[in-house]
C-alpha cells in the first residue's frame, strides 16, 4: 500500500524542497540529504510505487526502460561513467528501505566500500 505522506511524495508534490539534479515529466533526480559518498543522488519515477517490484508490476516495459535510461543519462551528467559508480535500490525491512517510494541510489565520486547503503 502506497503511503501518500512519504517524504518523496511530498517532494513530488512540491510540499518540501529538494536539491534537484534533473527532472522531466516522468522522473526526478536529487541529491541525498545525508550523502554517504562524494556523489549521492537519488532517482525516482513519478508514479506511486513503493519499491522496485511494485514499480515493475504497476507500470510497463516502456516505463521501466525509460526510467533506467534516465538513470544512465544522469550518471553521464554527473561525470562518473568512466571512474565507475554503484546503483542500489533498497526494498522492505531486510533491504533497509527507509522511504517507501521506489528510488535508486547513485553513488560515486570516490571508491565505494564493500557494504554501503
Ligand atoms: P532508503 O534507505 O533506500 O529508503 O533511502 C532513503 C534515502 O533518502 C536516505 O539515503 C536518506 O538520506 C534520503 N532522504 C531522506 N529524506 C530526504 C530528503 N528530504 N531529501 C533528500 N534525501 C532524503
Amino acid at each position: 500500500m502506497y503511503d501518500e505522506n512519504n517524504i518523496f511524495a511530498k517532494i513530488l508534490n512540491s510540499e518540501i524542497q529538494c536539491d534537484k539534479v534533473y527532472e522531466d515529466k516522468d522522473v526526478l533526480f536529487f541529491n541525498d540529504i545525508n550523502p554517504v559518498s562524494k556523489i549521492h543522488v537519488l532517482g525516482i519515477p513519478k508514479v506511486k510505487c513503493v519499491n522496485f517490484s511494485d514499480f515493475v508490476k504497476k507500470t510497463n516495459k516502456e516505463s521501466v526502460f525509460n526510467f533506467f535510461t534516465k538513470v544512465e543519462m544522469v550518471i553521464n551528467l554527473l561525470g562518473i561513467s568512466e571512474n565507475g559508480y554503484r546503483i542500489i535500490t533498497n526494498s522492505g525491512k531486510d533491504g533497509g528501505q527507509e522511504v517507501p517510494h521506489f528510488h535508486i541510489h547513485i553513488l560515486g565520486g570516490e571508491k565505494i566500500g564493500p557494504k554501503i547503503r
Side-chain angles (χ1 to χ4, degrees):
M1 186 76 152
Y2 185 77
D3 171 13
E4 302 277 349
N5 288 315
N6 81 73
I7 200 119
F8 295 168
K10 288 183 176 175
I11 287 176
L12 286 175
N13 290 337
S14 305
E15 278 175 57
I16 61 169
Q17 301 214 324
C18 71
D19 184 11
K20 201 179 293 182
V21 172
Y22 173 82
E23 182 174 24
D24 65 25
K25 68 178 184 27
D26 301 314
V27 300
L28 174 66
F29 290 80
F30 52 98
N31 285 308
D32 196 293
I33 205 165
N34 188 19
V36 297
S37 51
K38 276 187 187 157
I39 292 174
H40 186 170
V41 169
L42 300 172
I44 61 177
K46 293 183 175 180
V47 286
K48 294 174 180 177
C49 49
V50 178
N51 55 29
F52 172 68
S53 299
D54 196 31
F55 177 57
V56 170
K57 286 178 189 156
K58 264 193 193 143
T59 60
N60 53 30
K61 271 186 193 172
E62 194 188 336
S63 304
V64 175
F65 179 79
N66 182 44
F67 179 70
F68 283 98
T69 300
K70 299 285 169 54
V71 170
E72 207 278 327
M73 190 203 75
V74 169
I75 285 166
N76 279 310
L77 204 72
L78 295 168
I80 55 176
S81 311
E82 201 177 317
N83 279 356
Y85 53 84
R86 185 172 300 166
I87 57 174
I88 298 172
T89 186
N90 298 318
S91 180
K93 187 164 57 74
D94 283 359
Q97 184 178 10
E98 287 166 20
V99 181
H101 181 113
F102 168 54
H103 53 281
I104 288 277
H105 296 255
I106 303 172
L107 305 174
E110 62 184 319
K111 194 164 172 55
I112 310 296
K115 262 197 173 185
I116 196 165
R117 272 292 149 195

